[in-house]
Amino acid sequence: MAVLVLGSVAFDTLETDRGHVADCLGGSASHAACAVSYFARPLIVGVVGDDFPQKDWDFLASRADLSELKVLSGKTFRWHGQHNLATGETVSKSTELNTYAEFSPKLSSDSAHAAYVLLGNIAPELQLKVLRQLKSPRVIVADTMPLWIDTDRDGVIEVMRQSHIFMLNAEEAAMLTGKRDAEEAGVALLGQGGRSVIVKQGGDPSVLVSQAGVRKVPSYSKVDLVDPTGAGDNFAGATLGYLASQGVLADNLDVIMQGMTYGVATASFAIEDFGTRVHRHLTKEDIEARRSALPL
Ligand code: AMP
């Protein structure tokens, strides 16, 4: 079953303690679509500029349906991030929205009927525009980042309310709730209208909180960390991709938890190389092997 993936398609310049790369294919939609692709066919909703190279287009086209990826005259989104691997701190050194500044998603009637939808990290206004066009969603997963919590908190909360599963990391959850404990923050987000919330904690377990209960999924502990960029997008993409592959709803905690194990395994590979590079050789078998090694 196809999975609609909204988000950025970007060129990233990435610096970590392990090295530096410039103009690497990234963006929340690229990362998430690669992760979905092991389980289901992703449909990317986004925009690139006319500077987007054919080789990156061909790579994305080998993983995803690009019929909703627009090309506008101008530049592709660019992000420069610096990660301190010891402290886990990420600094956004620059963000150039470029063609995203004028992007307004208009789904074809086929795309508007997508059943599985990932509202990846992008302006809440764009996430809400896509939400309003959906005709028959079965599972909507949404993600965000600190920038949007700072600049459009109401929009972030509205996206959470209209999603089945809202994903964020512990820092973002603390920004929204004032609570540093992941489970307490998840409960507080339910109080703000969330249905199911997953609070991610890097190397510590991800916590799923919903009215039906709480579940924890451990992280994979033997990661050779190179670049954490896109970890959240890979987690979201693989989790939702699994749910889509099973054709299930997000109303059963154990099924979501199964999906999260694929999310953890896929994200653990993604952060072992810069940007989206790992997806040039990763296989479903690799993901299955690492998933089955999780201490559940
Ligand atoms: P993550 O590490 O999961 O936060 O995602 C990193 C990806 O998000 C990078 O590949 C960036 O290109 C992309 N990104 C960074 N800032 C933004 C933004 N403001 N809106 C959308 N995508 C962004």
Side-chain angles (χ1 to χ4, degrees):
M1 205 158 315
V3 177
L4 186 153
V5 179
L6 169 72
S8 51
V9 176
F11 292 130
D12 288 345
T13 294
L14 306 165
E15 293 175 57
T16 83
D17 317 35
R18 300 284 296 272
H20 174 279
V21 297
D23 292 344
C24 180
L25 175 64
S28 54
S30 309
H31 284 287
C34 286
V36 166
S37 69
Y38 301 97
F39 307 92
R41 182 86 172 147
L43 167 74
I44 295 180
V45 178
V47 63
V48 293
D50 52 15
D51 57 353
F52 198 73
Q54 190 65 41
K55 71 170 175 34
D56 289 324
W57 185 276
D58 291 345
F59 170 69
L60 281 180
S62 72
R63 314 306 296 256
D65 180 343
L66 303 187
S67 55
E68 296 280 2
L69 181 60
K70 307 293 175 227
V71 183
L72 292 182
S73 87
K75 285 180 166 179
T76 298
F77 186 111
R78 277 187 157 72
W79 183 67
H80 183 169
Q82 187 179 47
H83 300 284
N84 181 326
L85 300 183
T87 63
E89 192 195 359
T90 296
V91 178
S92 282
K93 295 186 90 176
S94 66
T95 304
E96 293 172 39
L97 294 179
N98 296 331
T99 40
Y100 271 88
E102 55 205 276
F103 177 55
S104 181
K106 283 189 198 62
L107 302 180
S108 69
S109 60
D110 267 7
S111 304
H113 282 91
Y116 292 85
V117 176
L118 174 48
L119 303 174
N121 170 30
I122 197 74
E125 184 195 336
L126 295 185
Q127 294 176 313
L128 291 168
K129 271 188 182 162
V130 166
L131 270 169
R132 283 195 284 273
Q133 295 174 58
L134 298 174
K135 302 280 185 241
S136 48
R138 299 188 76 189
V139 180
I140 300 168
V141 168
D143 188 14
T144 193
M145 74 182 297
L147 172 70
W148 309 121
I149 298 174
D150 279 334
T151 58
D152 186 7
R153 193 189 184 93
D154 291 349
V156 171
I157 296 293
E158 191 52 34
V159 169
M160 174 180 78
R161 289 188 177 142
Q162 294 191 36
S163 306
H164 299 98
I165 307 175
F166 185 58
M167 297 184 178
L168 69 182
N169 64 35
E171 175 203 349
E172 294 154 357
M175 286 172 76
L176 285 170
T177 65
K179 302 204 183 293
R180 299 222 69 86
D181 176 81
E183 188 173 332
E184 284 179 19
V187 171
L189 287 167
L190 297 191
Q192 294 182 39
R195 297 192 219 178
S196 291
V197 174
I198 296 175
V199 182
K200 296 161 291 172
Q201 309 189 88
D204 290 325
S206 298
V207 183
L208 164 65
V209 182
S210 88
Q211 302 294 356
V214 175
R215 297 281 191 283
K216 293 187 180 162
V217 175
S219 69
Y220 180 74
S221 58
K222 296 185 200 142
V223 173
D224 177 25
L225 179 59
V226 171
D227 168 28
T229 307
D233 311 308
N234 277 276
F235 176 86
T239 302
L240 182 60
Y242 172 77
L243 298 181
S245 71
Q246 302 299 301
V248 291
L249 295 173
D251 56 357
N252 178 322
L253 288 194
D254 294 321
V255 172
I256 301 176
M257 200 178 148
Q258 284 284 102
M260 290 167 70
T261 63
Y262 284 99
V264 166
T266 308
S268 76
F269 281 109
I271 62 181
E272 292 188 326
D273 203 342
F274 282 97
T276 49
R277 282 183 186 170
V278 80
H279 294 295
R280 294 182 185 272
H281 57 78
L282 188 65
T283 66
K284 178 89 182 279
E285 290 68 37
D286 296 330
I287 296 170
E288 286 287 359
R290 204 169 265 195
R291 174 187 170 266
S292 55
L294 289 178
L296 291 173

